[in-house]
Amino acid sequence: MKLLMIEDNKSVVEMMAIFFKKEQWEVTYVYDGITAVEEFNKDPQGWDIITLDLNLPGKDGMEVAAEIRKVSQTVPLIIITARDTDSDQVLGLEMGADDYVVKPFSPITLIARIKALHRRAELPRTSEGGGSSAEASVAFDVTTANFQLNSKTREAYLNGHEIPDLTPKEFDLLKTMAQKPKQVFSREQLLQLVWGYEYYGDERTVDAHIKKLRRKIENVGPQVIKTVWGVGYKFDDTEE
């Protein structure tokens, strides 16, 4: 795994370097926001995971996240923050993060989060076996009234139009709900199904990702992610 760690606290870097070495990961360390963007842009498609501290000199972590997402909507991004407030965590997710970890944190927790996110990002690549690209493009494993989804290519279409730039978590959320149209999922259920047992987040994480997902859906057609007040969310593409 090739990892970019953007962190200005050298004590944290030194601590994590020990654990990264045990995992035999290739890690590049950057200590300020300006250099972070420059390093990322050298090879935007070459990073498997990025961890990003919010409190950075030169350029704030939120700005760095925005710069990264301008270039890549799909590179897995974990925000690390000492700002233990709801607004900062939700804002980080809205800026494009797939997950967040609050300082102080256990190195084992961060390693587990990285592995879980990497597995989900790698799944479509490893699942693409034999067969031509033409076959993959029509092999939709989720099909509803106006929606189609291909898990191998990680593509989703609404009314024949591709929903653009879905992050790994957004795709997994969409697939989870679309597999069972009109079934209502609580936020807790979605946390368990999409983030898995290794994730120790809260329900605001789901809300932030749903908000981003809805924006992308609205770029191509009517909204299919419905809010069921007091319960959670459901997928329904039968209403125009």
Side-chain angles (χ1 to χ4, degrees):
M1 192 189 307
K2 187 176 180 183
L3 190 149
L4 176 62
M5 185 173 200
I6 306 167
E7 170 62 64
D8 70 326
N9 188 321
K10 293 190 177 181
S11 296
V12 172
V13 169
E14 291 170 359
M15 173 183 67
M16 290 309 307
I18 297 171
F19 288 84
F20 292 151
K21 185 176 181 180
K22 290 181 180 178
E23 298 292 338
Q24 298 183 326
W25 294 343
E26 179 185 347
V27 186
T28 299
Y29 302 97
V30 178
Y31 302 95
D32 68 87
I34 295 174
T35 306
V37 173
E38 293 173 350
E39 190 67 32
F40 170 76
N41 285 330
K42 288 179 182 178
D43 186 15
Q45 305 305 317
W47 304 105
D48 294 306
I49 294 281
I50 298 174
T51 67
L52 171 64
D53 182 34
L54 288 186
N55 296 311
L56 294 170
K59 184 173 288 192
D60 184 79
M62 293 293 187
E63 297 178 77
V64 174
E67 293 288 332
I68 289 172
R69 283 297 179 234
K70 285 180 184 177
V71 178
S72 173
Q73 285 284 329
T74 58
V75 61
L77 176 63
I78 299 177
I79 281 182
I80 300 175
T81 176
R83 306 174 184 177
D84 190 12
T85 66
D86 296 345
S87 59
D88 285 321
Q89 292 164 5
V90 171
L91 180 58
L93 294 169
E94 291 184 348
M95 291 300 293
D98 295 290
D99 198 354
Y100 67 86
V101 176
V102 177
K103 293 181 179 178
F105 60 86
S106 161
I108 295 174
T109 296
L110 180 57
I111 292 292
R113 298 281 188 90
I114 290 172
K115 287 182 176 179
L117 187 54
H118 184 247
R119 279 197 300 271
R120 291 182 173 87
E122 282 292 291
L123 184 60
R125 300 184 202 176
T126 57
S127 64
E128 291 177 7
S132 68
S133 58
E135 290 172 334
S137 66
V138 298
F140 297 110
D141 49 312
V142 178
T143 301
T144 63
N146 300 295
F147 176 82
Q148 294 171 309
L149 179 146
N150 186 320
S151 294
K152 290 184 178 181
T153 62
R154 306 287 279 190
E155 294 172 332
Y157 296 84
L158 181 61
N159 293 331
H161 301 287
E162 183 175 4
I163 302 171
D165 302 322
L166 293 173
T167 67
K169 283 293 187 296
E170 291 165 0
F171 183 90
D172 292 342
L173 269 172
L174 185 56
K175 179 181 178 180
T176 297
M177 289 187 284
Q179 285 176 317
K180 298 182 178 180
K182 297 187 179 181
Q183 176 175 319
V184 180
F185 293 87
S186 70
R187 292 168 177 82
E188 182 179 9
Q189 285 177 312
L190 290 172
L191 272 177
Q192 293 172 349
L193 292 169
V194 176
W195 279 261
Y197 70 91
E198 292 173 321
Y199 187 76
Y200 300 98
D202 57 43
E203 295 176 355
R204 289 180 297 270
T205 299
V206 175
D207 292 337
H209 279 81
I210 290 289
K211 184 176 181 180
K212 292 191 298 176
L213 176 58
R214 281 174 161 167
R215 289 173 185 161
K216 294 176 181 180
I217 291 171
E218 288 169 356
N219 286 332
V220 300
Q223 188 53 251
V224 296
I225 304 298
K226 313 290 186 180
T227 298
V228 181
W229 297 107
V231 184
Y233 301 100
K234 68 177 180 179
F235 176 96
D236 186 357
D237 66 335
T238 61
E239 300 177 12
E240 294 294 336

